Amino acid sequence: MSAYLEKAAQRQIERDNLDELIADFDKTHGPADPEAVAAKRAKLTGGTSSDAGTAA
């Protein structure tokens, strides 16, 4: 059980760190363009840009 809790805690720390990085980026550069994000997500996942926002 402790290994499970350790992994869960590590994932939460990683998410918190990622949230901080995103907030810093947004503060410096402004928020990301949703259409550009959808296009990049589609390219990475092999979907279409219109599919990108539906499965979140």
Side-chain angles (χ1 to χ4, degrees):
M1 183 75 166
S2 65
Y4 174 81
L5 293 176
E6 176 65 29
K7 282 187 170 187
Q10 187 61 37
R11 280 192 306 270
Q12 186 61 49
I13 290 168
E14 290 170 355
R15 287 183 182 130
D16 292 346
N17 290 341
L18 183 57
D19 286 343
E20 288 178 27
L21 287 172
I22 292 169
D24 287 344
F25 181 90
D26 286 349
K27 189 186 304 182
T28 302
H29 303 285
D33 174 23
E35 290 180 10
V37 171
K40 300 285 185 188
R41 180 177 287 131
K43 187 174 184 178
L44 290 170
T45 61
T48 64
S49 60
S50 61
D51 295 342
T54 60

